[in-house]
Amino acid sequence: MASPRTVRLSCLRPTNTVCVVGTQLLLDVYGCVPPGAVSFEVKRTAGVQATYRHRMVQTEASRNRWPLDSGVEVLVSMDYSSDSLNDNKISVSYYGSEKKDTPLAKARLYFTGVVVSLDVDTSRDGKVNLNRSEQASWTWGSKGQGAILLVNCDREEKCICSGGQDTFNTADLADMSVMYVTTKGPRAAFETHDVVLHITPAEADKVYVYHAIVRKVQEEEAQTSKRVSQDTATESMIRLKHALGDEKLVYKVPLTSPQKNMFFVEGITFPDAGFSGLVSIGVTLMDSSVENIPEVPIFTRNVIFRMTPWIMTPNTLKPVEVFVCSTADNNTFLGELTELVKRAKCKLTICPKVENRGDRWMQDEMEFGYIEDPRKNFPVVLDSPRNRELDVFPFKCLLGPDFGYWTREPEDESEVNSLDSFGNLEVSPPVTVNGKEYPLGRIIFGGTLPTFYGRRMTKVVRDFLYAQQVQSPVELYSDWLIVGHVDEFMTFVPAPSEKGFCLLLASPMACCTLFEEKLKDGHGDALMFKDLDTHQMTIKEILEDKYLIEQNTYVQGCIDWNRGILKKELGLEEKDIIDIPVLFYIPPKDYRAVAFFPDMVNMIVLGKLLGIPKPFGPIINGKCCLEEKVCSLLEPLGLNCTFIDDFSSYHENLGEVHCGTNVRREPFAFKWWNMVA
């Protein structure tokens, strides 16, 4: 409870005050003590409660008179609102040292009890909790409290009406949180007092607050037409007056009579650098009884909202929709991917040539996530700052009703590099690390080594990811790659294990070991890239290429560095990791690596169906030995491996299946606000 407001007394004339139900007032019984007084007595009408605080111990009245030198404090309150102005009273009588019943003087205080309440959904059950005293805090966990705001980043139809009011349909309002300002008490009390909503200047660009005026559609249509359909008659429009936000820091609530005023609160921005995601909205009762004198605050209460974070979805969640581009050279790829998506029973969205403008890298352009409050959730696409030919696709083709859009871009476009494409942005399944739970997984992105100057994801994107809080990011080392994306050497697949998933890591060592086994078995002449219009090499030639082997020894060291980070930050053991055979090479006059053959880690995961880049490895006994090896590693997990030909359309352009596709998935069942911070 807030500190009690002090009320001054006078023995010369009665004092009037308004007392907000549920609050305490501190009576200044010492400010008007008459000469010779040594004790005082408090009497009250039935509507007023009095307690006495002595040495910080609060108690009900247990005696009639109190010594003035005892230091006792008198606290008064009202349990219900008044029926009329000044209908309750307290009198303080002062007595001298002689034992007489006649007081030396009396101070009278007339009370008017009123209700002023600011209420939101603090219990996170989708319902506004009326008259809860403690709403000015926000705590995490299943037993926590505090209201939540969706960031209204989707696009609904809205028309601007005259008089500075916006007309919103029900779809708009579903994205906002309801807030009530409730007043109750004699009307005369509110004629001399104002109820004011307010926010701080620092938070004015984070939310909009609208005062709702409900009018049925048929009332307006009846003025112009006698024909009102039954469907229209059941609809309603809510006109919202912009109360707070932008330059509006204060809003005087119009009180023609005691009432419950409905407000809608709209989140404008996600948590980010310099913004924790918490927003405070206050209501204050102002005494405006004296004309031409500034108002005096006599009561205030705040509520705290937290903006919903943007949440990424890992490979272990159910796929809903697959996105891919149609280009001049990927018909074979599209056909094979389409069959896989049909088997996965997902929706397939193909971005046509006219919209992708030759940009095939659907994964690099955007990342899917979602936002959620206790009432609803909807997907939100995060648009990368790469700004190539696909740049307009997320905004133009995805943004709409209950489908949000967000982007973070640096002011200086020259800061953007390949690591800002979202093939370099992944998220793990839920993990527990040293007893700390991450029920929504952890975001993973690549950068440079801590002791080296190199490429990193741009700061504005990194700051945004860290600010979401619920998927504590992990930064890996990916700058050793030409493209520099984490999806080139790692991915997650579902598995029937205690953790529910396995981490797949690209492994040159595993590939060399496999080839050495085949060489030992007499298959050294088996060709890599047989029947492809590219340079072909036998297993023996690969193993005898000293420079290629040295390059892959270096690459294995880079991947092993990341292996250690992932084991530590995700709480993994070796049994949770599967090494997938992949070779890399470093082109002449370069010092960064790229996949030597289609990188099988760079796959699309659709439930238990995997779309894996076809490696075109050596054919032994009628089977590709690389495909056979990968199947032997993944099929025991209940996974089905489909190898997709992406060689000419993606691999030769320095990407693979995952780079060229994107997947929207169902949200977590776990509610983010139940996390333990």
Side-chain angles (χ1 to χ4, degrees):
M1 182 177 291
S3 300
R5 174 170 62 96
T6 299
V7 177
R8 309 292 177 181
L9 301 179
S10 172
C11 293
L12 301 177
R13 66 188 64 83
T15 303
N16 301 322
T17 192
V18 165
C19 179
V20 177
V21 173
T23 66
Q24 288 185 320
L25 304 179
L26 174 63
L27 298 187
D28 179 18
V29 296
Y30 301 100
C32 63
V33 176
V38 296
S39 64
F40 69 93
E41 180 183 26
V42 177
K43 292 184 178 179
R44 56 188 172 82
T45 55
V48 181
Q49 305 299 320
T51 57
Y52 299 81
R53 186 167 64 187
H54 180 54
R55 294 174 182 168
M56 303 310 294
V57 176
Q58 200 162 292
T59 180
E60 296 291 333
S62 58
R63 47 178 157 171
N64 293 328
R65 297 185 186 180
W66 294 84
L68 283 166
D69 61 0
S70 65
V72 69
E73 294 180 336
V74 182
L75 299 164
V76 296
S77 61
M78 297 189 69
D79 294 333
Y80 50 85
S81 59
S82 296
D83 294 324
S84 60
L85 201 65
N86 300 326
D87 62 351
N88 281 280
K89 182 178 70 173
I90 271 186
S91 64
V92 180
S93 300
Y94 295 94
Y95 296 91
S97 58
E98 298 181 3
K99 295 182 178 180
K100 293 183 178 180
D101 293 333
T102 303
L104 298 177
K106 281 188 177 183
R108 293 180 177 83
L109 178 64
Y110 291 95
F111 282 89
T112 304
V114 300
V115 170
V116 178
S117 179
L118 180 63
D119 300 300
V120 293
D121 176 17
T122 56
S123 61
R124 305 167 188 164
D125 59 1
K127 300 177 182 178
V128 175
N129 312 109
L130 298 178
N131 299 317
R132 289 190 61 170
S133 58
E134 294 298 327
Q135 302 194 78
S137 62
W138 205 99
T139 52
W140 295 88
S142 58
K143 296 182 180 179
Q145 70 161 19
I148 295 169
L149 271 182
L150 285 176
V151 178
N152 198 355
C153 55
D154 62 338
R155 181 166 58 192
E156 314 285 1
E157 294 182 0
K158 180 175 73 174
C159 63
I160 306 299
C161 297
S162 61
Q165 294 182 339
D166 296 345
T167 298
F168 291 78
N169 58 34
T170 54
D172 288 301
L173 302 181
D175 295 344
M176 304 183 196
S177 294
V178 176
M179 179 174 72
Y180 287 109
V181 175
T182 304
T183 56
K184 187 178 181 182
R187 180 172 180 176
F190 291 102
E191 291 176 351
T192 56
H193 291 78
D194 294 331
V195 176
V196 177
L197 276 178
H198 47 86
I199 55 175
T200 67
E203 297 170 343
D205 61 344
K206 308 296 189 298
V207 295
Y208 285 143
V209 179
Y210 300 96
H211 191 185
I213 303 171
V214 182
R215 292 186 63 184
K216 291 183 178 179
V217 171
Q218 64 266 32
E219 293 177 356
E220 298 179 353
E221 292 191 353
Q223 298 177 9
T224 57
S225 174
K226 294 182 180 180
R227 295 180 304 229
V228 180
S229 71
Q230 187 165 352
D231 289 340
T232 303
T234 62
E235 295 176 355
S236 65
M237 296 293 286
I238 296 184
R239 289 192 171 173
L240 304 181
K241 182 178 181 181
H242 183 197
L244 298 176
D246 283 339
E247 297 180 357
K248 296 186 177 183
L249 304 181
V250 176
Y251 177 71
K252 180 180 176 181
V253 181
L255 299 175
T256 55
S257 62
Q259 58 189 312
K260 181 163 67 174
N261 286 268
M262 177 184 287
F263 291 82
F264 286 90
V265 187
E266 177 183 31
I268 300 301
T269 186
F270 285 97
D272 213 323
F275 175 46
S276 68
L278 294 175
V279 173
S280 175
I281 299 175
V283 65
T284 297
L285 182 64
M286 307 288 290
D287 184 348
S288 57
S289 57
V290 182
E291 191 174 353
N292 298 324
I293 297 295
E295 299 174 314
V296 177
I298 63 173
F299 164 81
T300 192
R301 174 173 289 172
N302 288 356
V303 295
I304 301 291
F305 287 94
R306 181 179 287 278
M307 300 292 184
T308 178
W310 179 75
I311 302 170
M312 288 180 62
T313 52
N315 287 350
T316 49
L317 291 176
K318 183 178 179 180
V320 175
E321 185 174 7
V322 175
F323 294 82
V324 68
C325 291
S326 172
T327 63
D329 60 352
N330 75 341
N331 287 340
T332 299
F333 175 86
L334 275 183
E336 295 179 6
L337 178 69
T338 299
E339 289 302 313
L340 179 69
V341 173
K342 285 181 180 178
R343 289 167 55 200
K345 299 180 180 179
C346 294
K347 178 181 178 181
L348 178 63
T349 296
I350 299 176
C351 178
K353 300 180 184 68
V354 68
E355 291 180 356
N356 66 56
R357 299 179 292 177
D359 186 352
R360 70 193 68 215
W361 307 115
M362 186 63 79
Q363 182 68 221
D364 289 344
E365 181 56 41
M366 60 190 184
E367 187 67 54
F368 286 108
Y370 69 94
I371 61 176
E372 182 172 35
D373 75 357
R375 300 161 300 136
K376 67 180 295 186
N377 63 62
F378 59 79
V380 176
V381 61
L382 181 65
D383 192 359
S384 77
R386 70 192 283 265
N387 293 342
R388 290 172 59 178
E389 290 80 1
L390 260 175
D391 184 48
V392 299
F393 177 76
F395 183 84
K396 179 181 177 182
C397 301
L398 299 181
L399 174 63
D402 285 342
F403 205 123
Y405 170 91
W406 201 255
T407 189
R408 296 296 291 120
E409 298 185 8
E411 293 183 4
D412 184 357
E413 293 183 1
S414 66
E415 295 180 16
V416 178
N417 62 72
S418 178
L419 272 64
D420 292 308
S421 297
F422 286 165
N424 193 36
L425 180 59
E426 297 299 320
V427 64
S428 79
V431 292
T432 300
V433 185
N434 296 325
K436 181 174 176 56
E437 295 182 354
Y438 297 90
L440 303 175
R442 300 190 69 177
I443 287 173
I444 296 169
F445 58 86
T448 189
L449 287 171
T451 56
F452 284 78
Y453 176 79
R455 296 173 299 174
R456 293 186 76 189
M457 183 177 283
T458 188
K459 187 175 184 300
V460 293
V461 176
R462 285 185 282 119
D463 287 345
F464 173 80
L465 297 174
Y466 279 103
Q468 306 315 303
Q469 298 187 59
V470 296
Q471 294 178 304
S472 179
V474 177
E475 186 168 4
L476 300 180
Y477 172 42
S478 65
D479 193 34
W480 58 272
L481 288 153
I482 289 178
V483 178
H485 296 176
V486 293
D487 69 350
E488 297 178 75
F489 62 87
M490 60 162 289
T491 195
F492 299 96
V493 294
S497 63
E498 181 180 350
K499 286 186 170 61
F501 70 92
C502 280
L503 167 66
L504 307 187
L505 287 179
S507 175
M509 180 178 292
C511 187
C512 290
T513 299
L514 175 65
F515 283 178
E516 287 169 355
E517 291 174 355
K518 300 305 179 184
L519 177 65
K520 185 178 179 181
D521 292 341
H523 302 293
D525 292 334
L527 276 175
M528 189 94 215
F529 308 132
K530 185 179 180 181
D531 299 328
L532 289 179
D533 185 17
T534 189
H535 178 64
Q536 299 173 355
M537 296 179 70
T538 66
I539 289 178
K540 183 179 180 181
E541 288 172 336
I542 289 173
L543 293 175
E544 289 179 347
D545 189 330
K546 181 179 178 181
Y547 190 49
L548 181 62
I549 298 303
E550 287 177 348
Q551 290 177 342
N552 277 277
T553 300
Y554 157 75
V555 167
Q556 186 67 62
C558 295
I559 294 173
D560 286 345
W561 173 272
N562 290 308
R563 187 190 201 97
I565 296 174
L566 290 165
K567 288 174 68 175
K568 177 183 176 182
E569 298 296 340
L570 301 183
L572 303 181
E573 302 176 22
E574 281 298 320
K575 65 180 182 180
D576 304 314
I577 302 174
I578 297 176
D579 291 316
I580 301 297
V582 179
L583 287 181
F584 295 83
Y585 77 100
I586 299 176
K589 298 182 181 181
D590 208 328
Y591 60 93
R592 293 185 173 110
V594 68
F596 178 67
F597 56 79
D599 182 350
M600 293 182 288
V601 169
N602 195 277
M603 63 179 68
I604 185 172
V605 180
L606 302 177
K608 294 185 177 182
L609 302 180
L610 308 180
I612 305 172
K614 185 176 181 62
F616 292 95
I619 304 299
I620 298 173
N621 299 324
K623 295 181 180 180
C624 170
C625 66
L626 289 170
E627 292 185 18
E628 191 173 34
K629 179 63 176 179
V630 169
C631 289
S632 72
L633 294 170
L634 301 182
E635 287 180 351
L637 304 178
L639 302 173
N640 182 282
C641 301
T642 297
F643 293 91
I644 296 176
D645 180 0
D646 73 350
F647 194 90
S648 61
S649 54
Y650 291 90
H651 173 71
E652 291 190 328
N653 291 291
L654 307 187
E656 310 290 357
V657 173
H658 187 260
C659 304
T661 59
N662 217 316
V663 183
R664 180 169 65 87
R665 302 180 185 274
E666 289 186 351
F668 284 99
F670 181 86
K671 306 304 180 184
W672 63 266
W673 52 88
N674 289 332
M675 287 186 64
V676 178

